[in-house]
Amino acid sequence: MQRASHQAESWLKVTRKGLYCEPGDFYVDPALAVDRALITHAHGDHARPGNKAVLATKETLRFMRLRYGKRAGHHLQAVTLGEVISIGPVKVSFYPAGHVLGSCQILLEYKGCRVVVSGDYKRRPDPTTLDFEVVPCHVFITEATFGLPVFEHPPVESELEKLTHVRTCFPERTLQVSAYSLGKCQRLIAELRRAGIDEPIYLHGSQYHHCEAYQELGVNLGELRSVESCLGETLKGAIVFAPLNVLFQDYADRILDPISTSASGWLRVRSKSFMGSCELPLIISDHVDWPELTQTIEEVNPEEVWVTHGSEEATIHWCRSHQRRAKALSLVGRGDGEE
Amino acid sequence: MKAFSLLLDCLSHASSDEAKIVYLRKYLQDVSASERGYAVGIVTRELNLPAIRLPLLKSRLLDRVDPKLFELSLSFVTDLSETMALLWPAIAEKPISLPDVVTRLNNAEKGEETAVVEDLLNHLPASKRWVVLKLVTARKKPIIAPRLVKAALARWAGKSSQEVAEIWPTLPPPYTELFEWLEGKGERPDVKGRAVFLPMQSAGNFDQTKLNQIKSQDFAVARKWDGLRVQLSSFEQETKLFTSEGDDITALFPDAVKLTTDNSVFEGDLVIVRDGEIQPANELQPRLNRKSATKKLQESHPARFIIDDVLILKGQDVRSRIYSQRYEDLEKYFGDQSNCKVTKTLPCLDEPTLLDLRKATTQERGVVGIRLKRWDAPYEEKNRAGCWLDWLNPPKEARLVLLYAEKGKGAMSPLYSEFTLGTLNQNDAGETLALPVGKSTFEGDKEELASINQWIENNVVERFGPVRSVNLGLVFRVTFGAVQPSARRKSGLILTSLSVEQVLWEESWIEATTRQELLGLMD
Ligand SMILES: [Zn+2]
């Protein structure tokens, strides 16, 4: 008998615009604007502006509207988790991926074959999003951002101890945190709150708006202030967030001798942790590390693994040496950043 | 060991010397007395620990991890010991203290060291595995400069760092007596008969615009040698040689400390002398990079100590005597002792000729300018109102192309930062080649260095041990002291006091300075 996964290649294809489901005539996380898009989560390398019809969770749609305004899509349809929607002969349903608020894996079912497009995901508990759910399938499409055995994210608690230690050493200096506006920023704030840090946290505009959206969607992040709106205040000893691409020069006269901080899974490797010349590197990520990646593949137990962005080579090697079928899927438009 | 691994982590990312002092001070405050001494011995690299062979340990690791995954990991991480620390499969974590680690390593029987390290790795998380591997593959360079360690100790204990610096060299790790004194539990360690290090006076820069305000008769004028400023401290029990930061380099230069002195402290320049000629300062590097001086190295790079000052003479502190008196003391004391030489002061001249004198020294090999010392000034740690002035020959500039890159020497430096640079030359066939003319350590900002490293990783041509040869492509703007002939180099030239000023990302390598142009810069 033929493997169910074998026929998946005939209806699910990598095209110039992204991953295309032929019988349903839709794309998942397309890199260019298309007529019908299913979106796993709102990060810029997965959710693009300009699509005609968009199917995603209400949280993802909320963030897309925040980012793109009217360009978020002509027709936005919100799905609830687990709800099965038919698009032509294809059945689609969404399950939590644990990556950022609203992030999902998308299950596609066609002619008895189940394919899970997992998008970005993680397995660590995260106070700002639902836990990843194992969805049985024939083909599991996985990211491999940290697909090398050197990547093992330490417990968040030990990273926060490091942060507390550095702040104790320099109580006067401002902790200046670089983080993506969506996801990483709120996760870090939530982890700081969990560690008992309840002082007001200062945010750059775009992060402030994303946090407001989080709070409206029911995620409590404590007292937040927009840096722009409290110009008179001293930031001595405070925690200030800004997105990666925003230079802190704007606040240079208010932040003297800051402790530059960033959080990423890449920082696990020392030679890479010098790249951004940051003083407090925190090894915290919203992607699975190597043990979680391999554990997830075992738990999902698919007939075949398709590996997208990251270190495909090591992941595929691991699969094959564990008697699993695997292949690389080169999708366009995925950077090697950590969104 | 948790606090120590956190300390190393913080130190390696610290943004300033002050931050390093703060971290170390906090550490001293937080940990137990039994840990402090070892930790300080490790960060200064004064504590002796057995060295192990990484390849042996690597083969033990490969018994336990997939070789292909190991290779892929290594090519990503690039540093072998870090890759091993990250990949080593821990069996069960156990609390192991720093003194435990040190004792177990030092008590290991000969040949058993690798097994002891393996056992430690089996029971530690990755960050601590990295620390253990750093301990046993340690290189000479301190993790943090001894000057900062002394400052942190002094601040922690509320003592003067001068006092700490004086006692420091007389005690070996784990510095039990020093810590007892610092904590107020013991007497100040007795330094009688031991080689002390005294804080050294430094020179300011001569301001050429004030040339006509200077009375040259007020100054002793001497050649400024292209060497390393050192202090020789010789007492009944021992003789030691220190750098200006107080690093003990006695073991590296036995040929320079041979001289017989009694209860005295001298100061001067350490230089390499070959065929009667003083060599550029970078010839000292091969000797500074070792743990000890081999006979071969002493023959190929013979070191000499050129003395120009005295702080203690036959047990008497002469620092309050003025320089004309101290200089007289020196000449009287040394006469014609072998192995060392008192620097000759140059004839007293009128102001305009001071300039000629400085210029004349550019012709001399191993000289980087002139040093002026006020005849009537006592020896003082603080260089009050320009009593000592260095008038260096102005640096020359060139654009050189990167040929080889090597990772930094410090344990904390996983980046390529030592660069061999070349000049362009046409061979007989009319092809343009690049020939090495010197080596320099990059001291610019970390971000720039990271970009350079990215470039190097994309342009590696060949590997020779730790050295990478790269494609011709990256051009640096450099400054240097002088162009000197060097028979040992294919280019026939060497640039002294070479220092990288800037990366010229836009510049094509074909526009780099040619050998012919460098010859023109020779004095
Ligand atoms: Zn993402």
Side-chain angles (χ1 to χ4, degrees):
Chain A
M1 205 187 91
Q2 215 184 25
R3 282 175 289 110
S5 63
H6 185 72
Q7 42 127 330
E9 278 171 45
S10 67
W11 56 269
L12 192 59
K13 294 174 176 168
V14 176
T15 70
R16 195 174 54 87
K17 291 182 176 176
L19 191 63
Y20 179 58
C21 176
E22 215 167 56
D25 190 24
F26 62 81
Y27 291 81
V28 180
D29 291 350
L32 300 169
V34 298
D35 285 346
R36 184 189 283 275
L38 275 58
I39 306 291
T40 59
H41 66 289
H43 275 152
D45 54 343
H46 291 259
R48 301 275 189 197
N51 296 307
K52 283 193 180 136
V54 176
L55 185 63
T57 59
K58 72 171 194 295
E59 293 87 356
T60 299
L61 294 176
R62 173 83 168 81
F63 299 132
M64 285 178 74
R65 273 197 301 266
L66 180 65
R67 300 197 142 188
Y68 302 132
K70 286 205 171 106
R71 292 166 63 234
H74 293 295
H75 179 255
L76 307 179
Q77 185 186 346
V79 293
T80 48
L81 297 175
E83 170 194 6
V84 179
I85 295 175
S86 293
I87 307 179
V90 184
K91 287 187 183 132
V92 306
S93 47
F94 287 57
Y95 301 90
H99 176 55
V100 299
L101 182 55
S103 70
C104 277
Q105 319 168 61
I106 303 176
L107 169 65
L108 312 176
E109 291 174 274
Y110 178 62
K111 287 191 178 165
C113 172
R114 292 160 63 91
V115 177
V116 167
V117 185
S118 61
D120 293 339
Y121 66 98
K122 74 166 173 289
R123 304 299 301 269
R124 298 287 163 102
D126 172 346
T128 66
T129 178
L130 297 171
D131 287 350
F132 177 93
E133 216 173 292
V134 172
V135 181
C137 57
H138 300 103
V139 175
F140 183 58
I141 303 182
T142 182
E143 59 145 322
T145 305
F146 296 113
L148 270 179
V150 292
F151 290 109
E152 197 178 323
H153 312 323
V156 174
E157 292 75 19
S158 75
E159 296 305 289
L160 289 178
E161 271 177 42
K162 195 156 80 185
L163 177 141
T164 308
H165 177 77
V166 172
R167 288 189 87 202
T168 316
C169 288
F170 303 103
E172 303 264 276
R173 295 173 66 190
T174 306
L175 196 74
Q176 177 181 287
V177 190
S178 306
Y180 289 114
S181 295
L182 171 61
K184 185 67 77 52
C185 166
Q186 295 77 21
R187 161 110 187 271
L188 289 175
I189 294 173
E191 295 290 1
L192 290 170
R193 299 307 187 205
R194 196 156 70 162
I197 297 172
D198 52 11
E199 65 198 54
I201 289 176
Y202 294 82
L203 298 162
H204 181 269
S206 95
Q207 291 179 322
Y208 186 76
H209 298 309
H210 278 88
C211 286
E212 273 183 331
Y214 262 67
Q215 308 239 52
E216 280 165 29
L217 291 164
V219 179
N220 183 14
L221 298 173
E223 188 186 346
L224 306 176
R225 289 182 194 166
S226 134
V227 164
E228 290 85 352
S229 72
C230 36
L231 287 172
E233 287 175 48
T234 164
L235 296 171
K236 209 188 233 179
I239 301 178
V240 181
F241 275 70
L244 301 180
N245 51 356
V246 170
L247 295 174
F248 278 92
Q249 254 93 341
D250 303 6
Y251 324 129
D253 51 338
R254 297 171 63 197
I255 304 180
L256 297 170
D257 190 22
I259 304 166
S260 64
T261 307
S262 62
S264 161
W266 298 114
L267 301 173
R268 164 86 166 177
V269 173
R270 265 159 206 278
S271 51
K272 314 291 162 190
S273 73
F274 287 98
M275 290 299 180
S277 68
C278 97
E279 192 166 358
L280 176 58
L282 301 172
I283 312 167
I284 298 178
S285 176
D286 288 327
H287 295 260
V288 275
D289 62 8
W290 176 262
E292 292 160 356
L293 172 65
T294 52
Q295 174 211 336
T296 304
I297 293 172
E298 288 191 321
E299 285 177 17
V300 173
N301 194 22
E303 281 178 5
E304 213 167 291
V305 179
W306 294 359
V307 186
T308 63
H309 51 303
S311 309
E312 299 93 318
E313 197 181 349
T315 311
I316 291 169
H317 174 80
W318 180 88
C319 287
R320 292 185 181 155
S321 60
H322 286 74
Q323 285 72 51
R324 292 190 174 278
R325 286 170 193 280
K327 69 167 192 178
L329 202 63
S330 48
L331 289 173
V332 286
R334 300 278 193 273
D336 54 1
E338 217 200 311
E339 269 194 79
Chain B
M1 207 179 158
K2 188 172 167 185
F4 187 65
S5 104
L6 181 60
L7 171 70
L8 291 196
D9 224 5
C10 290
L11 287 178
S12 61
H13 293 99
S15 57
S16 64
D17 284 351
E18 172 60 22
K20 290 180 186 175
I21 295 173
V22 171
Y23 284 132
L24 185 54
R25 184 205 166 158
K26 172 88 173 109
Y27 170 83
L28 292 168
Q29 203 177 319
D30 290 350
V31 301
S32 69
S34 65
E35 185 168 333
R36 283 180 204 126
Y38 288 125
V40 170
I42 291 165
V43 295
T44 54
R45 294 279 192 230
E46 287 191 348
L47 182 70
N48 270 319
L49 289 166
I52 60 146
R53 288 185 51 240
L54 272 190
L56 190 62
L57 200 63
K58 180 182 149 189
S59 72
R60 305 286 291 135
L61 176 62
L62 286 178
D63 292 341
R64 296 169 62 189
V65 302
D66 183 308
K68 166 100 177 177
L69 292 178
F70 176 85
E71 277 316 314
L72 288 170
S73 298
L74 179 60
S75 78
F76 177 79
V77 178
T78 67
D79 179 78
L80 177 61
S81 67
E82 187 180 4
T83 310
M84 288 173 49
L86 290 170
L87 289 184
W88 197 276
I91 297 170
E93 282 181 28
K94 281 188 204 160
I96 304 177
S97 71
L98 185 66
D100 263 1
V101 172
V102 172
T103 320
R104 283 165 71 175
L105 287 172
N106 275 337
N107 290 348
E109 304 273 336
K110 195 136 186 68
E112 295 293 306
E113 294 95 342
T114 310
V116 171
V117 171
E118 239 187 289
D119 187 56
L120 287 168
L121 297 182
N122 281 342
H123 298 107
L124 291 169
S127 56
K128 294 170 194 166
R129 294 197 292 266
W130 180 81
V131 174
V132 169
L133 286 178
K134 278 298 155 201
L135 295 186
V136 293
T137 55
R139 278 179 277 184
K140 225 205 101 262
K141 194 171 168 189
I143 291 170
I144 108 169
R147 152 180 75 88
L148 304 179
V149 176
K150 289 166 214 168
L153 284 167
R155 216 185 277 184
W156 165 65
K159 308 268 186 200
S160 88
S161 57
Q162 188 172 328
E163 229 182 336
V164 175
E166 204 174 305
I167 297 166
W168 179 269
T170 67
L171 299 166
Y175 321 100
T176 315
E177 289 171 68
L178 176 72
F179 276 102
E180 277 174 4
W181 167 65
L182 289 173
E183 287 177 89
K185 290 178 186 157
E187 292 291 300
R188 186 177 191 272
D190 184 10
V191 296
K192 200 170 176 309
R194 310 293 302 268
V196 293
F197 169 74
L198 302 173
M200 284 166 71
Q201 178 164 356
S202 56
N205 284 325
F206 184 77
D207 182 355
Q208 203 172 329
T209 59
K210 298 202 175 125
L211 183 60
N212 52 7
Q213 295 167 28
I214 278 219
K215 278 210 195 94
S216 61
Q217 304 91 303
D218 292 345
F219 289 89
V221 183
R223 289 176 181 83
K224 168 105 179 91
W225 304 104
D226 192 9
L228 185 68
R229 193 77 192 151
V230 291
Q231 187 176 87
L232 182 76
S233 178
S234 181
F235 288 81
E236 280 141 36
Q237 294 183 27
E238 60 197 354
T239 293
K240 282 188 172 179
L241 190 66
F242 299 109
T243 66
S244 54
E245 298 219 320
D247 293 2
D248 181 354
I249 51 169
T250 317
L252 305 184
F253 295 97
D255 42 348
V257 293
K258 256 191 303 201
L259 83 170
T260 50
T261 54
D262 44 333
N263 296 327
S264 301
V265 176
F266 299 104
E267 225 173 85
D269 295 305
L270 190 68
V271 293
I272 297 292
V273 181
R274 202 181 288 123
D275 307 324
E277 282 205 313
I278 292 169
Q279 304 296 311
N282 54 15
E283 293 274 329
L284 280 163
Q285 279 311 320
R287 299 205 45 177
L288 288 167
N289 290 341
R290 302 289 157 88
K291 259 199 135 105
S292 65
T294 59
K295 208 159 178 205
K296 210 171 135 201
L297 206 51
Q298 289 185 48
E299 274 162 21
S300 64
H301 293 73
R304 291 288 176 272
F305 179 38
I306 306 179
I307 298 173
D308 60 46
D309 217 324
V310 55
L311 289 75
I312 293 180
L313 190 63
K314 293 191 211 168
Q316 197 200 339
D317 193 335
V318 294
R319 282 179 286 183
S320 55
R321 284 162 70 80
I322 60 174
Y323 188 57
S324 60
Q325 294 168 328
R326 301 201 307 278
Y327 189 73
E328 212 177 287
D329 290 344
L330 276 178
E331 287 200 305
K332 211 185 292 168
Y333 183 83
F334 279 102
D336 281 324
Q337 272 216 52
S338 60
N339 282 314
C340 81
K341 209 162 125 181
V342 174
T343 202
K344 289 273 174 288
T345 54
L346 299 164
C348 202
L349 294 159
D350 297 331
E351 297 80 36
T353 38
L354 205 52
L355 179 62
D356 296 336
L357 199 58
R358 204 273 295 150
K359 278 186 177 161
T361 62
T362 63
Q363 310 288 344
E364 295 178 41
R365 215 174 143 81
V367 179
V368 290
I370 52 176
R371 168 166 285 187
L372 293 85
K373 284 186 176 183
R374 275 198 85 90
W375 283 118
D376 61 358
Y379 188 98
E380 285 178 315
E381 188 192 356
K382 294 205 172 58
N383 180 37
R384 187 172 45 89
C387 290
W388 289 17
L389 294 167
D390 282 345
W391 191 3
L392 301 181
N393 299 326
K396 301 183 170 77
E397 271 195 15
R399 298 172 314 279
L400 299 181
V401 58
L402 179 65
L403 300 178
Y404 304 102
E406 198 176 335
K407 295 209 166 152
K409 288 284 187 301
M412 292 306 181
S413 181
L415 299 179
Y416 294 105
S417 61
E418 310 222 343
F419 303 137
T420 301
L421 305 172
T423 182
L424 301 184
N425 193 35
Q426 282 202 346
N427 67 6
D428 299 338
E431 298 162 329
T432 302
L433 302 174
L435 301 172
V437 285
K439 212 170 157 183
S440 174
T441 303
F442 184 83
E443 275 156 359
D445 77 31
K446 279 185 190 168
E447 238 165 292
E448 184 84 317
L449 186 59
S451 314
I452 297 172
N453 270 257
Q454 202 73 62
W455 188 92
I456 291 170
E457 274 168 25
N458 294 335
N459 284 280
V460 172
V461 177
E462 269 182 294
R463 293 155 187 255
F464 315 94
V467 181
R468 302 282 176 274
S469 76
V470 296
N471 292 315
L472 295 182
L474 202 55
V475 182
F476 293 101
R477 185 171 67 82
V478 300
T479 57
F480 54 95
V483 186
Q484 294 184 342
S486 165
R488 289 166 54 245
R489 286 185 167 69
K490 239 196 256 170
S491 64
L493 297 177
I494 177 143
L495 306 185
T496 65
S497 314
L498 185 60
S499 137
V500 170
E501 299 299 321
Q502 192 190 355
V503 189
L504 304 170
W505 291 106
E506 306 291 314
E507 188 114 349
S508 153
W509 68 273
I510 209 78
E511 283 159 43
T513 307
T514 63
R515 183 172 178 276
Q516 215 51 42
E517 289 170 317
L518 286 180
L519 284 171
L521 292 171
M522 214 167 192
D523 298 298

